[in-house]
Amino acid sequence: MLDYESMKSNPLAFVKRRTITSAYIDSTGRMGIAQTALMIQDNITGNFGEIDCDNFLINKLGAYWVLTRSKFHFHKRPFWREKVHTVSFPASNALVRANENTAIVTPEGEFLITANQEVCCLDLNTHRPVKLTTLPFPREGFPAPVFTDSFEKFTIDDSEYKEVFKEKVYSQNIDMSHHMNNIEYIKLALNVLSVAEIEEREPLDLEVHYMGESREGELLSVLHAREGSVSYMKILNGSGRAVFEMKLSFR
């Protein structure tokens, strides 16, 4: 259980009441996998805005935020029209990387989704990491984390992956950084699964690694590998370099 009401008084926490609208559900009528990542990303940007660290402000300092890794645990997916509360806050601050925790809970505080996002800041010109100590990012006073699982290194061999399809990056895949949006990678990777495969199984854990940037006009290859009830997805750019990888396990 999470006492989100007490979080409202913490200046580092962003608490927002939301309704699961049609924009956030999949064909099951429940919050979809990619849609979950979308709501959490939206909440994180809201949090960064509240602490004066969003990309519009950081850009003025010659830098921009990127997500490097994300991990989600699905306790129970909410249905269409359900009311939930979302809570996001920075959970740590290292030299060049920070962790941002998010919880989606019922009005009673029961956990529905918990997540951790690893972020870093890059220089606008060199694309090299920027020390967080040079930015107005919090350094202390973090709330207790709601997600403590560590990130994994995917050990499945490259030979296990099979290409499923290719997809071109179009204008509507691009965000304000002029690169392909993070959620678009997840949606693209999920397309290796059929509707039946998604509807017949309940997601348990999702981990994604953002390894590169894709621009408008690039042709991407989407690969898939299975290991029991776990699906691994990988996206390669035209040069054969991996720009994204994902691990999705089901109950």
Side-chain angles (χ1 to χ4, degrees):
M1 299 289 285
L2 178 69
D3 182 8
Y4 60 83
E5 286 292 343
S6 67
M7 301 285 281
K8 291 180 180 178
S9 61
N10 191 309
L12 297 186
F14 180 75
V15 182
K16 185 176 179 64
R17 183 181 178 183
R18 297 178 182 269
T19 300
I20 306 303
T21 63
S22 60
Y24 290 106
I25 62 172
D26 62 13
S27 60
T28 67
R30 291 171 292 180
M31 177 176 274
I33 297 169
Q35 293 90 333
T36 297
L38 175 62
M39 180 177 284
I40 289 174
Q41 180 172 283
D42 187 45
N43 221 63
I44 290 171
T45 57
N47 184 207
F48 276 38
E50 289 289 313
I51 61 176
D52 295 329
C53 274
D54 63 27
N55 259 339
F56 286 103
L57 296 166
I58 295 300
N59 284 173
K60 296 177 182 178
L61 301 177
Y64 65 102
W65 289 108
V66 294
L67 275 176
T68 50
R69 296 184 290 186
S70 301
K71 197 164 187 174
F72 308 80
H73 181 70
F74 294 84
H75 300 261
K76 179 182 177 183
R77 290 192 294 160
F79 280 88
W80 175 57
R81 297 182 65 187
E82 280 193 43
K83 307 294 184 183
V84 300
H85 285 78
T86 53
V87 183
S88 292
F89 56 88
S92 71
N93 179 348
L95 180 63
V96 295
R97 299 183 189 274
N99 285 281
E100 174 89 0
N101 275 197
T102 298
I104 301 176
V105 300
T106 66
E108 295 74 34
E110 177 188 359
F111 286 112
L112 297 169
I113 315 287
T114 49
N116 182 46
Q117 321 279 321
E118 182 187 78
V119 298
C120 72
C121 223
L122 302 182
D123 184 277
L124 275 172
N125 297 315
T126 66
H127 293 205
R128 300 289 296 172
V130 174
K131 291 183 180 180
L132 297 185
T133 52
T134 65
L135 304 173
F137 192 77
R139 302 180 190 179
E140 57 186 6
F142 304 119
V146 295
F147 194 102
T148 57
D149 291 356
S150 58
F151 291 108
E152 301 176 39
K153 181 177 181 180
F154 301 161
T155 57
I156 191 164
D157 192 79
D158 285 345
S159 63
E160 298 295 317
Y161 284 94
K162 306 298 181 186
E163 183 179 278
V164 181
F165 63 92
K166 293 184 184 292
E167 183 72 23
K168 189 175 180 180
V169 180
Y170 293 99
S171 63
Q172 296 307 298
N173 304 129
I174 301 298
D175 60 21
M176 62 175 288
S177 67
H178 287 86
H179 303 138
M180 185 156 154
N181 185 270
N182 298 321
I183 307 303
E184 296 297 321
Y185 284 108
I186 297 176
K187 290 165 64 177
L188 196 60
L190 285 171
N191 280 336
V192 305
L193 303 176
S194 68
V195 172
E197 287 179 292
I198 293 173
E199 291 183 343
E200 293 168 2
R201 300 182 293 176
E202 189 63 20
L204 178 62
D205 290 294
L206 173 71
E207 181 167 346
V208 297
H209 300 166
Y210 300 100
M211 306 155 69
E213 299 169 337
S214 303
R215 297 179 180 274
E216 182 182 6
E218 285 194 71
L219 186 64
L220 305 178
S221 299
V222 185
L223 286 63
H224 184 210
R226 295 183 190 271
E227 193 173 68
S229 63
V230 180
S231 277
Y232 293 86
M233 297 79 160
K234 185 177 288 189
I235 298 178
L236 310 179
N237 63 16
S239 302
R241 177 175 177 265
V243 294
F244 175 86
E245 62 179 4
M246 181 169 99
K247 177 184 179 182
L248 174 62
S249 62
F250 295 89
R251 283 186 168 81

